[in-house]
Amino acid sequence: MIIKYFPDTDTLFIEFSERAVSETVDFNEDTLIDLDEGGNVVALTIEHARRKVDLTDFSFQQVVALETGD
């Protein structure tokens, strides 16, 4: 996953996969979703990001699944 913020255009870009984009869907006025040919999300673009997302703090946490003793 790659996350990029472009302050000059106030655009947040999140790439989930390097798969080829076959379609871009306008989710709403400021949000675009890139899909591959199977309809899977490849990337998300948020225009006017500061109005939509708190960009002052970012953290990433990967949660490992706990094994059950079955």
Side-chain angles (χ1 to χ4, degrees):
M1 178 169 35
I2 298 172
I3 299 173
K4 296 179 182 178
Y5 176 66
F6 303 89
D8 56 329
T9 59
D10 193 22
T11 302
L12 181 64
F13 177 75
I14 304 170
E15 182 181 60
F16 300 103
S17 166
E18 292 183 0
R19 290 186 306 266
V21 174
S22 66
E23 179 183 9
T24 300
V25 177
D26 290 332
F27 180 74
N28 62 30
E29 183 177 315
D30 296 323
T31 308
L32 303 170
I33 302 173
D34 294 332
L35 305 171
D36 67 10
E37 65 181 28
N40 301 300
V41 177
V42 174
L44 176 68
T45 302
I46 302 174
E47 302 290 343
H48 310 290
R50 288 181 169 205
R51 287 191 255 159
K52 309 288 183 187
V53 180
D54 180 7
L55 296 172
T56 59
D57 186 35
F58 172 79
S59 64
F60 173 81
Q61 181 179 15
Q62 183 172 352
V63 179
V64 178
L66 299 175
E67 292 186 30
T68 59
D70 293 337

